[in-house]
């Protein structure tokens, strides 16, 4: 899916280290920080992160971003509960 959206092989390989990688723009890093924080504990999204996210995304985009993060977290939990492995 990431390749279809234009991600490079380097971006896919370096995703876990996105903070240190020059393969991601500031906008992408803000979205990835939000996704990581919401996934681990949504209550820890602080004012500093919201400010950063809002520098790159308008209100509608923030709603879409959070919807996508929530949906994929749902898929992951659903698949984990059923012990399903990802398919290509």
């Amino acid at each position: 899916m990431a390749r279809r959206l234009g991600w490079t092989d380097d971006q896919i390989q370096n995703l876990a280290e996105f903070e240190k990688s020059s393969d991601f723009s500031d906008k992408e890093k803000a979205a990835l920080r939000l996704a990581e924080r919401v996934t681990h504990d949504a209550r820890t999204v602080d004012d500093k992160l919201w400010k950063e996210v809002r520098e790159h995304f308008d209100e509608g985009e923030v709603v879409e971003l959070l919807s996508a993060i929530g949906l994929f977290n749902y898929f992951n939990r659903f698949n984990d509960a059923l012990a399903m492995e990802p398919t290509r």
Side-chain angles (χ1 to χ4, degrees):
M1 176 190 245
R3 282 189 183 91
R4 286 185 298 194
L5 294 172
W7 281 41
T8 66
D9 288 338
D10 284 342
Q11 285 176 308
I12 293 167
Q13 287 180 326
N14 296 326
L15 183 57
E17 301 294 324
F18 75 89
E19 292 285 6
K20 299 174 187 173
S21 176
S22 62
D23 294 325
F24 299 95
S25 68
D26 290 342
K27 182 176 183 176
E28 290 167 327
K29 286 182 179 184
L32 289 168
R33 282 184 198 105
L34 181 63
E36 192 171 65
R37 190 83 59 89
V38 168
T39 298
H40 290 295
D41 184 352
R43 293 172 295 210
T44 65
V45 179
D46 57 14
D47 290 341
K48 181 181 175 189
L49 182 54
W50 278 127
K51 183 177 185 256
E52 179 185 2
V53 167
R54 289 187 176 126
E55 288 175 6
H56 299 284
F57 300 95
D58 64 30
E59 290 297 314
E61 291 170 325
V62 170
V63 169
E64 287 183 37
L65 189 55
L66 286 171
S67 295
I69 293 166
L71 181 62
F72 278 88
N73 278 318
Y74 163 78
F75 289 152
N76 288 332
R77 288 196 169 107
F78 184 88
N79 290 339
D80 287 348
L82 295 174
M84 295 175 66
E85 293 294 323
T87 60
R88 290 188 171 232

